[in-house]
Amino acid sequence: MAAYYIQFRVYRPDLLCKYHFNVLGVFSLFFLQVIEKNADPKMTLLTYLRRKLGLPGTKLGCGEGGCGACTVMISRYCIFQQKILHYAVNACLAPVCSLNYTSVTTVEGIGSTKTRLHPVQERIAKRHGSQCGFCTPGIVMSLYALLRNTPQPSMEEIEDAFQGNLCRCTGYRPILQGFKTFAKDGCCGRKTENGCCMDMKEENEIPSSPALFDPSDFRPLDPTQEPIFPPELLLYRDAPRKLLVFKGEGITWYQPSDLRELLSLKAQHPSAKLVVGNTEVGIEVKFKHMSYPLIIAPSGIAELNAVERTAEGIRFGAACSLATLGNVLQKAVSDLPPYRTEVFRAVLEQLRWFAGQQIRNVAAIGGNIMTASPISDLNPVFMASGSTLVVVSQEKERTLRMDENFFTGYRKTVLEPHEILLSVEIPYSKEREYFSAYKQASRREDDIAIVTSGMKVVFQPDSHQLEEIKLSYGGMAPVTVMAKDTCAALVGREWNEHLLQDACRLLAKEMSLSPSAPGGMVEFRRTLTLSFFFKFYLTVLKKLETDLRGNNNFPGTVLPEYESATELFHKPPTSGVQLFQEVPAGQDPDDFVGRPIMHLSAMKQATGEAVYCDDIPHYENELYLALITSTKAHAKIISIDKSGAAAASGFVCFLSANDIPGSNVTGIRHDELIFAEHTVTCVGHIIAAVVADTQEHAQDAANAVKITYEELEPIVTIQDAIDKQSFFLPIKKIENGSIEKGFQEADHTLEGEIYIGGQEHFYLETNCCIAVPKGEDGEMELFASTQNTTETQNFAARALGVPANRIVVRVKRMGGGFGGKESRSTILSTAVAVAAYRTGRPVRCMLDRDVDMLITGGRHPFLGRYKVGFKKTGQITALEVSYYSNAGNSCDLSHGIIDRALFHMDNSYKIPNIKGAGYVCKTNLPSNTAFRGFGGPQGMMVAEAWMSDVAEACRLPPEHVRRLNMYQEGDLTHFNQKLEAFSLRRCWDQCLRSSRYQERKIAIAKFNKQHRWKKRGIAVIPTKFGISYTLFFLNQAGALVHVYTDGSVLLTHGGTEMGQGLHTKMIQVASKALGIPTSKIHISETSTNTVPNASPTAASVSSDLNGMAIYNACETLLQRLQPYKKSNPKGTWESWIRSAYEDRVSLSATGFYRIDGIGYDPVKNQGNPSNYFSYGVACSEVEIDCLTGDHKNLRTDVVMDVGTSLNPAIDIGQIEGAFIQGLGLFTLEELKYSPDGNLYTRGPGMYKIPAFGDIPAEFNVSLLRDCPNSKAIYSSKAVGEPPLFLSASIFYAIKDAIMSARAESGVTGIFRLDSPATPERIRNACVDQFTKLCPAPEPGTFKPWSIRV
């Protein structure tokens, strides 16, 4: 067979190619015609766009279709539907071989800062919806694809379009609110209990505040201005199809033209893998290193794409996408009587939460079945409904019913190797038949199921007697299973309470799991099987109540308080209000300090023009590095066999400790090695590296290296470390007052503990570095995605054995950092520098998401143990607390983190007698590190745990106990720092007032009385966060300001831009200081050769420090210009600069600043460890589903003291982003490790950060007015970290709701709830008759699948 070329089009507005259209005068758009004669079956569209076509706007975020950063739009003429289709796809999964005769639109193709932005790009930028910007192109393209199909979408359609997109910075609200302007039902979002803000009466008006953006500035969306489908591609619609064959290294891709060719290929190659959307195989090949030498792509075959309504149901060809499935079923539901569409509606409900839109657009219904996943969302529905499958081979065609015999084992079906699935027929339901489907996952949107189910009942005519029942479950065995025994026992029974009780008892017995079952959560999964059936029971009972109305033999009725258990999940569109203080009247229009100006890179980020590290064009002769990491948590290295790597294609060299020219010792505390020498101390410990000519070759070579180990016993958990006294010394302690006296004065004491899980940074841009040797004197240039240019420089210099002045580190911007690139980025950059030194060639490495998550660590897991003494009034008299943090295998920044936890163990409360101890546990996990909050959130979380317990013990409202113990102006903290300008009580009172806390608390109590299986809770939580580096000498910064003869200013400072808007704020500061517009000032990058010895961009102080350094440099320049301004008072900035230049006056100045008056003596427990404090309060309301553990975040109100804001838009964005990141920490994100220390959660498939649908439905943020801060630049305050802990209000609102649920089961009093409050923990805490049927296995009697570290 001959190989053929592939042809498609990519929209490039900046290239003049074969076809040129002028789109009604808007801007010229050019089609880049792509004819690829040697299409590589392994190459994805993403790699092709970035590497071959030089289009870096489409980003690599995860490589598994889970984050949406790589979203592009595909357009093609569908010969089966006879129309042009536009749809969003994940370029990271789309094989370039699959794109024949398609048009690809990337973010670069719809608008540019050089021409004109598309309205989608403009609105996300101007609406402050882009911070780090790495996710922005994908979000833009998701909405663009929606608008190409639906120019006036509903808000629900807009939110659904983003189910496959993630953002780690913004908190999502500004994105949704900006894009509401495209919705036919959109508004400004300022909705209240009284309705739209336009309809409110005067007394109910929201306090006035200037807008963060002006919708009238937005260009209208004109669908006629969009590029047309390339006419030449339409020429191929009637062309005869032929077999295509593409060959690559170790793989051949066949694309048959008809069913006959397909069956022939399958007969010749029975082991060949069939691929349509590549959503499963693509992940297996990339992350599981599975090899499929033969791929058959049958997506163009008519029979596999056919859709037909039959007498029995609707038949779908196996290659039909899930999006097509949904569209067809939705039409059927609207056309047919409800009784015929019970199964269809169940499928549609499952599809609502099935992956993201990008996946649904390409994933095939047949692939979903044949993958045979035991946690499939749809297979239980197909099984319970009795869907029929047609399978064919060259020899025969046969029809199968999808029943309990279809799946023969894990990922196996009854199909023979030479057979293919041709179609699936989903049946119509009939009268007296009821069907429902259920799914519970860790996150509502785009998440794999924990347990999923399809349930069907058929009743005898005019009766509630069962004729047939089918209960199918996923997540309860290695295959999708049917509860056969339970169903058999229930047939013929009447649908009543007795049946319910027997069914639950039978299901509890039949749906059993080993305590060591893969996936863990055994108690939760077993309980879900009963909870789902109970929901189904009530749903059917409700329908029977309607259908059998008038039948005196039917006694059943659904109690009003049980009704909500039958409701499908619904979340209203997001709304919110943002309040801030406008600038004083008369402020100079050119003075932008205090104004909500847009992030200065937002438009570049929205168009894909913003350059990140891996976007830098490849150098000639550039090489790629891949790391070789340990697979054992603790072991001796016996041997390393690198022969397999040496034989791999493109191999250049192997690097180990012996190849380091300088010192192999690295790390903040010099307790780490660049490459392990004799022993490995964690899974993911870097042992060596391979350098090759491409990324794929380097990774293949690295995987070919064989390492032999002698395993040693690992220490994995905090409890292991406590038992074995494995700590990084010293033990940190703070004590104030007399603990003994405090406990004597107490009316009551209580003891408890809380575990706070770790957290993955999940910056959208993984760690990346490019090292470029300069060829003389040992000089090298490092382009790195790092928050810490100084340590990146120093660590590389030490490894290479050269002075630091030979190494230049350059950072343009990062796609997120959050502390994860403060110290751990150096483990990659140092290895890349060594590789560049050894080869003498540029070397690049951008970590894949799974490797980044494995090796770089995250937020420290904490265990807090406390004993608290208190009066019966709730007044705290004494506190003794011990913190244990899991540091991992090196010290890194862990002592600073435990210090900050101890400094925040009071949160916001005056405790007269207090004693705290902090233990840094040394374990065999990858070293944990800085993460937004730096130990503060963990310290405060423990404080709120005992505060919650005290309120419950005293039977007092929690808000009363919190305010009773709250600090006041002038109080001394437990480390003897005086609280000045203490605004927390103002924040508290304003938050209670604006949130209508008391009124809503009454409404919640009423709701909970009326609902047994849904409960609401509310909590208000304060925070007091100290601002400064805990390491004293880091509280310094430098700046460099150049003024050129045309009056333009180049500004450089030591801080790095990672989305927090630092560069934007610094330009605002310089603009005000120099008295010139921001348009005259530019920041190019951060580099060690402009500002040396910079402190890391961390601790929330970068605006404070760098802002003052810039101000200092600007003052120097102004002093030099003063004579020229005085002699020519009516002159311009440019004329003064020209005069100074001609007078030979230096127009370049350095600036420097250090924070004075801080420092702490731990021996004497005195001093000022913080320069000042930031304060805030949040009130949150949630609703939990007591049966599944699901929860909805209904409303959050935040009041935050940010001083006099430098930029309210950026500050509000930081508050919202921090809050949502904290929401992930406290309710969603859970790192799962094996008992042997192996991390399971290595990507978005298993690790769930908050998505668009997780944010509060109403999200209000208010900046406290009239609270200038005398200790920072222009009276501002730090804002990056302080708001994060406020999301604990969600956690304690959940706990409040659980308490109500437990009370209905007769369980009262204090209970422990660890963090995060996942669905598992929520459901297990809501004890009831179902949880009692599924008791937890006895600890110590089994080896669990995962453990709490």
Side-chain angles (χ1 to χ4, degrees):
M1 281 177 262
Y4 292 90
Y5 64 79
I6 189 165
Q7 182 172 212
F8 61 98
R9 298 292 184 276
V10 179
Y11 287 117
R12 281 291 302 272
D14 55 333
L15 290 180
L16 179 59
C17 294
K18 184 176 179 180
Y19 299 97
H20 170 204
F21 294 85
N22 189 279
V23 188
L24 298 183
V26 177
F27 58 88
S28 294
L29 189 70
F30 305 102
F31 292 138
L32 172 63
Q33 183 181 20
V34 178
I35 299 177
E36 179 59 56
K37 295 184 178 180
N38 298 298
D40 183 353
K42 289 183 178 180
M43 184 170 286
T44 65
L45 173 59
L46 177 63
T47 303
Y48 196 92
L49 289 170
R50 293 179 61 84
R51 196 174 299 169
K52 286 213 167 188
L53 300 185
L55 291 171
T58 308
K59 307 301 183 190
L60 173 62
C62 67
E64 59 178 82
C67 73
C70 64
T71 303
V72 298
M73 187 183 79
I74 299 291
S75 303
R76 66 181 177 91
Y77 182 82
C78 179
I79 59 174
F80 310 117
Q81 300 182 42
Q82 296 291 299
K83 66 178 182 180
I84 297 168
L85 303 178
H86 306 288
Y87 52 94
V89 305
N90 294 116
C92 71
L93 291 178
V96 74
C97 287
S98 68
L99 299 174
N100 209 19
Y101 305 139
T102 66
S103 174
V104 179
T105 304
T106 71
V107 70
E108 295 98 335
I110 66 172
S112 165
T113 60
K114 302 177 183 70
T115 52
R116 185 176 293 178
L117 272 67
H118 189 277
V120 175
Q121 296 168 320
E122 179 191 45
R123 295 185 200 188
I124 197 172
K126 290 185 176 179
R127 191 56 189 91
H128 314 293
S130 182
Q131 289 187 20
C132 88
F134 204 80
C135 66
T136 305
I139 290 170
V140 164
M141 293 311 299
S142 287
L143 185 65
Y144 178 78
L146 172 67
L147 295 176
R148 286 302 301 266
N149 293 299
T150 313
Q152 284 192 305
S154 68
M155 198 58 216
E156 183 178 4
E157 288 173 316
I158 289 176
E159 294 197 14
D160 287 347
F162 295 133
Q163 286 184 345
N165 292 85
L166 295 175
C167 172
R168 194 55 153 165
C169 297
T170 64
Y172 300 109
R173 194 272 318 156
I175 301 173
L176 290 172
Q177 219 160 347
F179 287 159
K180 268 186 180 179
T181 55
F182 289 111
K184 59 187 177 185
D185 56 348
C187 75
C188 72
R190 292 175 65 165
K191 290 184 177 180
T192 72
E193 290 285 323
N194 303 304
C196 179
C197 61
M198 297 294 290
D199 303 326
M200 288 191 299
K201 296 178 181 178
E202 188 174 336
E203 62 270 21
N204 292 324
E205 283 184 358
I206 298 169
S208 62
S209 182
L212 288 174
F213 73 111
D214 184 358
S216 65
D217 289 342
F218 296 158
R219 289 181 54 238
L221 175 71
D222 185 352
T224 67
Q225 302 292 285
E226 301 298 350
I228 64 173
F229 187 72
E232 77 277 11
L233 291 183
L234 287 174
L235 299 176
Y236 296 102
R237 61 186 170 185
D238 299 321
R241 296 291 186 262
K242 56 186 176 181
L243 174 67
L244 299 180
V245 183
F246 304 103
K247 294 187 177 182
E249 289 183 8
I251 183 171
T252 302
W253 174 288
Y254 294 99
Q255 193 166 317
S257 61
D258 57 32
L259 184 60
R260 179 189 57 81
E261 284 182 352
L262 170 61
L263 296 180
S264 174
L265 283 168
K266 194 61 172 151
Q268 295 173 55
H269 310 289
S271 62
K273 197 78 170 178
L274 267 64
V275 169
V276 176
N278 202 44
T279 57
E280 182 77 16
V281 170
I283 294 171
E284 290 177 340
V285 170
K286 183 170 181 63
F287 296 107
K288 298 180 182 178
H289 310 298
M290 298 179 73
S291 177
Y292 296 108
L294 294 170
I295 296 287
I296 302 175
S299 57
I301 294 172
E303 292 87 342
L304 291 176
N305 287 276
V307 178
E308 179 186 4
R309 288 196 186 188
T310 70
E312 301 298 322
I314 301 180
R315 183 181 299 135
F316 294 88
C320 287
S321 71
L322 297 181
T324 299
L325 173 67
N327 293 337
V328 172
L329 293 184
Q330 196 69 60
K331 177 88 166 52
V333 168
S334 62
D335 291 347
L336 299 171
Y339 79 86
R340 299 199 73 192
T341 62
E342 287 270 331
V343 179
F344 297 169
R345 281 178 278 136
V347 172
L348 288 170
E349 178 61 20
Q350 295 298 77
L351 286 177
R352 278 180 71 195
W353 314 115
F354 192 115
Q357 189 63 50
Q358 299 94 319
I359 296 293
R360 295 196 294 268
N361 286 336
V362 298
I365 182 174
N368 179 80
I369 294 170
M370 295 306 299
T371 297
S373 169
I375 50 175
S376 164
D377 294 357
L378 294 178
N379 286 345
V381 178
F382 297 149
M383 185 178 286
S385 65
S387 295
T388 54
L389 310 177
V390 176
V391 300
V392 295
S393 65
Q394 272 194 320
E395 291 78 27
K396 61 181 177 180
E397 175 180 308
R398 58 188 179 125
T399 301
L400 306 174
R401 187 167 298 280
M402 195 164 165
D403 57 20
E404 61 270 22
N405 300 313
F406 181 74
F407 298 107
T408 58
Y410 180 69
R411 302 278 184 172
K412 295 179 181 178
T413 71
V414 296
L415 268 69
E416 298 295 331
H418 59 280
E419 291 182 311
I420 67 156
L421 175 64
L422 183 68
S423 65
V424 55
E425 184 173 344
I426 305 174
Y428 300 122
S429 52
K430 53 194 177 186
E431 289 189 275
R432 300 179 302 279
E433 177 181 329
Y434 306 108
F435 199 101
S436 291
Y438 301 96
K439 171 185 176 179
Q440 184 57 48
S442 296
R443 185 179 68 197
R444 171 62 58 176
E445 293 180 356
D446 190 9
D447 195 3
I448 56 176
I450 296 170
V451 175
T452 182
S453 179
M455 300 185 177
K456 165 184 160 183
V457 289
V458 181
F459 291 94
Q460 295 179 4
D462 298 319
S463 163
H464 61 289
Q465 187 172 2
L466 273 178
E467 184 177 286
E468 181 186 4
I469 180 169
K470 298 289 185 183
L471 305 176
S472 179
Y473 289 99
M476 296 303 297
V479 297
T480 303
V481 294
M482 196 84 80
K484 294 184 295 183
D485 295 344
T486 301
C487 292
L490 298 180
V491 171
R493 298 277 300 273
E494 292 184 340
W495 198 256
N496 55 29
E497 184 72 24
H498 297 297
L499 175 142
L500 171 65
Q501 293 177 5
D502 288 345
C504 289
R505 177 178 50 80
L506 291 165
L507 280 172
K509 180 180 179 182
E510 188 171 4
M511 293 292 108
S512 61
L513 282 171
S514 162
S516 303
M521 300 183 282
V522 170
E523 179 187 359
F524 178 45
R525 287 155 68 185
R526 294 187 64 211
T527 303
L528 282 175
T529 63
L530 310 188
S531 295
F532 286 167
F533 181 78
F534 180 58
K535 281 175 171 279
F536 182 58
Y537 169 81
L538 294 176
T539 301
V540 171
L541 195 64
K542 190 176 178 181
K543 291 178 179 179
L544 285 172
E545 203 174 339
T546 301
D547 294 349
L548 296 180
R549 188 177 291 122
N551 186 330
N552 295 328
N553 293 323
F554 180 60
T557 183
V558 178
L559 297 173
E561 60 268 30
Y562 282 29
E563 282 269 357
S564 60
T566 67
E567 296 171 358
L568 298 177
F569 184 91
H570 174 73
K571 180 174 175 284
T574 303
S575 64
V577 178
Q578 302 82 46
L579 300 178
F580 61 95
Q581 190 167 357
E582 58 187 323
V583 299
Q587 179 170 313
D588 189 328
D590 284 337
D591 179 359
F592 285 94
V593 167
R595 301 186 194 276
I597 70 170
M598 177 179 61
H599 192 297
L600 294 180
S601 291
M603 287 190 174
K604 294 192 288 287
Q605 290 164 186
T607 59
E609 296 167 64
V611 177
Y612 299 83
C613 188
D614 196 48
D615 297 339
I616 296 171
H618 285 242
Y619 289 83
E620 188 176 356
N621 296 323
E622 183 178 289
L623 300 173
Y624 207 97
L625 176 140
L627 299 174
I628 299 166
T629 61
S630 169
T631 58
K632 306 298 179 184
H634 193 197
K636 292 180 181 178
I637 300 171
I638 302 302
S639 66
I640 299 176
D641 179 2
K642 54 192 178 186
S643 59
S649 298
F651 172 83
V652 173
C653 69
F654 175 90
L655 298 172
S656 66
N658 295 330
D659 298 293
I660 295 173
S663 173
N664 191 32
V665 176
T666 189
I668 296 293
R669 295 297 182 93
H670 308 295
D671 60 347
E672 302 180 55
L673 299 177
I674 299 167
F675 296 127
E677 295 189 37
H678 308 292
T679 305
V680 292
T681 54
C682 70
V683 176
H685 197 156
I686 298 172
I687 297 172
V690 166
V691 181
D693 59 346
T694 69
Q695 178 184 16
E696 293 76 15
H697 287 158
Q699 291 176 343
D700 289 345
N703 291 330
V705 174
K706 306 300 180 186
I707 302 175
T708 306
Y709 303 94
E710 178 188 322
E711 289 196 62
L712 305 172
E713 183 181 3
I715 296 172
V716 177
T717 70
I718 289 174
Q719 192 57 54
D720 290 344
I722 294 172
D723 293 342
K724 297 179 181 178
Q725 292 294 289
S726 178
F727 303 122
F728 288 106
L729 299 177
I731 309 303
K732 299 300 185 82
K733 296 180 180 180
I734 296 180
E735 185 171 359
N736 203 332
S738 170
I739 281 291
E740 294 77 11
K741 179 173 174 287
F743 282 120
Q744 289 170 3
E745 293 173 351
D747 296 329
H748 307 283
T749 62
L750 61 83
E751 297 183 43
E753 65 179 49
I754 181 173
Y755 174 80
I756 304 140
Q759 185 179 25
E760 161 61 31
H761 298 93
F762 211 93
Y763 26 69
L764 264 290
E765 178 204 30
T766 59
N767 275 283
C768 181
C769 182
I770 305 168
V772 184
K774 309 308 285 186
E776 58 180 79
D777 299 328
E779 288 186 295
M780 186 175 291
E781 200 168 31
L782 296 179
F783 298 89
S785 182
T786 181
Q787 297 170 237
N788 196 337
T789 55
T790 298
E791 294 295 24
T792 302
Q793 176 190 37
N794 290 336
F795 288 9
R798 192 179 304 126
L800 301 185
V802 300
N805 63 6
R806 309 299 167 87
I807 308 295
V808 175
V809 177
R810 299 172 61 183
V811 181
K812 186 78 171 179
R813 61 173 58 82
M814 284 170 276
F818 316 114
K821 296 174 181 176
E822 181 178 346
S823 63
R824 304 315 295 167
S825 60
T826 60
I827 65 177
L828 175 66
S829 60
T830 308
V832 172
V834 170
Y837 176 90
R838 279 297 176 197
T839 62
R841 293 163 63 178
V843 176
R844 178 186 305 244
C845 181
M846 183 178 185
L847 296 181
D848 281 340
R849 176 64 61 184
D850 61 329
V851 177
D852 193 286
M853 292 184 71
L854 175 66
I855 71 174
T856 60
R859 190 186 298 277
H860 290 62
F862 263 62
L863 176 66
R865 291 175 173 168
Y866 53 85
K867 178 181 179 182
V868 60
F870 53 97
K871 300 284 191 182
K872 59 185 178 183
T873 61
Q875 185 77 49
I876 307 298
T877 61
L879 172 69
E880 187 171 9
V881 61
S882 295
Y883 292 102
Y884 299 88
S885 72
N886 194 327
N889 68 338
S890 75
C891 195
D892 193 68
L893 299 166
S894 298
H895 275 126
I897 288 164
I898 207 75
D899 283 340
R900 186 164 284 271
L902 289 169
F903 286 139
H904 289 79
M905 64 181 172
D906 57 338
N907 188 8
S908 305
Y909 310 115
K910 178 66 175 176
I911 306 166
N913 305 288
I914 186 169
K915 181 180 181 181
Y919 299 81
V920 178
C921 298
K922 182 179 182 180
T923 64
N924 293 117
L925 296 181
S927 187
N928 286 311
T929 189
F931 198 142
R932 198 178 202 164
F934 205 74
Q938 296 98 314
M940 292 184 279
M941 190 65 170
V942 176
E944 292 303 334
W946 53 254
M947 183 60 74
S948 176
D949 289 352
V950 168
E952 177 63 19
C954 295
R955 302 293 178 90
L956 292 170
E959 70 276 10
H960 168 79
V961 178
R962 286 187 168 99
R963 200 178 198 288
L964 174 69
N965 288 283
M966 196 176 290
Y967 281 118
Q968 300 193 55
E969 174 72 26
D971 278 347
L972 294 179
T973 65
H974 61 287
F975 44 88
N976 291 311
Q977 180 165 351
K978 186 177 181 180
L979 296 176
E980 301 172 318
F982 183 75
S983 61
L984 184 60
R985 287 177 175 258
R986 278 186 61 203
C987 294
W988 180 272
D989 294 342
Q990 181 176 321
C991 188
L992 289 183
R993 185 171 59 252
S994 64
S995 66
R996 305 197 328 276
Y997 176 82
Q998 296 299 340
E999 178 186 336
R1000 286 165 57 209
K1001 193 173 180 181
I1002 294 170
I1004 287 168
K1006 182 180 178 182
F1007 177 93
N1008 289 344
K1009 284 183 180 179
Q1010 296 171 346
H1011 298 82
R1012 171 62 185 93
W1013 301 107
K1014 296 281 178 70
K1015 296 295 181 185
R1016 290 183 177 175
I1018 193 168
V1020 57
I1021 296 291
T1023 188
K1024 169 184 66 66
F1025 194 89
I1027 303 301
S1028 73
Y1029 289 103
T1030 50
L1031 199 57
F1032 173 73
F1033 66 80
L1034 292 177
N1035 292 285
Q1036 59 174 296
L1040 176 63
V1041 181
H1042 295 317
V1043 184
Y1044 296 94
T1045 54
D1046 64 352
S1048 63
V1049 176
L1050 181 63
L1051 179 63
T1052 309
H1053 59 89
T1056 54
E1057 176 63 52
M1058 56 187 126
Q1060 81 280 42
L1062 177 62
H1063 285 352
T1064 303
K1065 284 185 172 182
M1066 294 303 94
I1067 286 177
Q1068 288 177 274
V1069 167
S1071 168
K1072 182 179 180 73
L1074 295 174
I1076 60 175
T1078 57
S1079 58
K1080 293 184 183 295
I1081 307 172
H1082 177 64
I1083 295 178
S1084 176
E1085 64 180 6
T1086 305
S1087 61
T1088 55
N1089 62 345
T1090 52
V1091 177
N1093 311 318
S1095 297
T1097 306
S1100 302
V1101 296
S1102 295
S1103 290
D1104 294 6
L1105 290 171
N1106 294 291
M1108 289 300 292
I1110 288 168
Y1111 180 83
N1112 176 248
C1114 291
E1115 284 292 296
T1116 299
L1117 287 168
L1118 288 175
Q1119 288 174 12
R1120 296 174 188 168
L1121 292 174
Q1122 186 59 33
Y1124 309 99
K1125 297 173 75 174
K1126 185 176 180 180
S1127 64
N1128 183 16
K1130 293 184 179 180
T1132 63
W1133 169 258
E1134 288 81 2
S1135 67
W1136 297 329
I1137 294 302
R1138 170 55 65 174
S1139 297
Y1141 169 71
E1142 292 176 351
D1143 212 15
R1144 296 175 298 173
V1145 171
S1146 172
L1147 295 176
S1148 177
T1150 60
F1152 183 78
Y1153 176 72
R1154 69 177 189 181
I1155 300 176
D1156 291 321
I1158 63 170
Y1160 173 71
D1161 185 339
V1163 177
K1164 297 179 180 177
N1165 190 27
Q1166 65 182 28
N1168 292 335
S1170 298
N1171 189 28
Y1172 60 87
F1173 296 91
S1174 286
Y1175 305 103
V1177 176
C1179 174
S1180 292
E1181 180 182 354
V1182 304
E1183 179 180 300
I1184 66 169
D1185 185 328
C1186 305
L1187 291 168
T1188 64
D1190 227 349
H1191 85 275
K1192 289 193 283 190
N1193 301 315
L1194 300 178
R1195 175 173 173 176
T1196 289
D1197 295 82
V1198 174
V1199 178
M1200 197 78 203
D1201 170 12
V1202 298
T1204 302
S1205 175
L1206 293 174
N1207 185 323
I1210 286 177
D1211 286 349
I1212 288 171
Q1214 286 293 290
I1215 291 166
E1216 292 171 331
F1219 187 92
I1220 298 304
Q1221 198 167 62
L1223 183 151
L1225 169 64
F1226 294 131
T1227 69
L1228 264 176
E1229 300 176 43
E1230 193 167 27
L1231 293 164
K1232 297 197 173 182
Y1233 287 88
S1234 74
D1236 302 320
N1238 186 36
L1239 179 67
Y1240 292 129
T1241 45
R1242 299 190 192 181
M1246 287 192 69
Y1247 186 81
K1248 298 300 171 182
I1249 71 169
F1252 277 85
D1254 294 308
I1255 71 173
E1258 184 176 346
F1259 196 2
N1260 304 315
V1261 176
S1262 178
L1263 304 185
L1264 192 68
R1265 294 168 179 258
D1266 302 318
C1267 51
N1269 173 34
S1270 63
K1271 297 188 175 184
I1273 183 72
Y1274 294 132
S1275 302
S1276 62
K1277 271 192 175 183
V1279 72
E1281 293 172 293
L1284 184 138
F1285 179 67
L1286 294 179
S1287 52
S1289 58
I1290 296 277
F1291 179 93
Y1292 287 100
I1294 289 171
K1295 193 170 185 181
D1296 183 49
I1298 294 171
M1299 198 167 291
S1300 178
R1302 290 167 66 90
E1304 288 230 18
S1305 296
V1307 181
T1308 58
I1310 295 168
F1311 69 98
R1312 175 175 173 175
L1313 182 66
D1314 289 330
S1315 174
T1318 57
E1320 177 190 15
R1321 288 196 174 105
I1322 294 171
R1323 179 62 187 100
N1324 290 348
C1326 293
V1327 291
D1328 53 35
Q1329 63 266 39
F1330 306 115
T1331 59
K1332 291 174 183 175
L1333 287 170
C1334 305
E1338 194 68 33
T1341 60
F1342 64 97
K1343 183 177 181 179
W1345 176 77
S1346 68
I1347 57 171
R1348 188 183 78 180
V1349 300

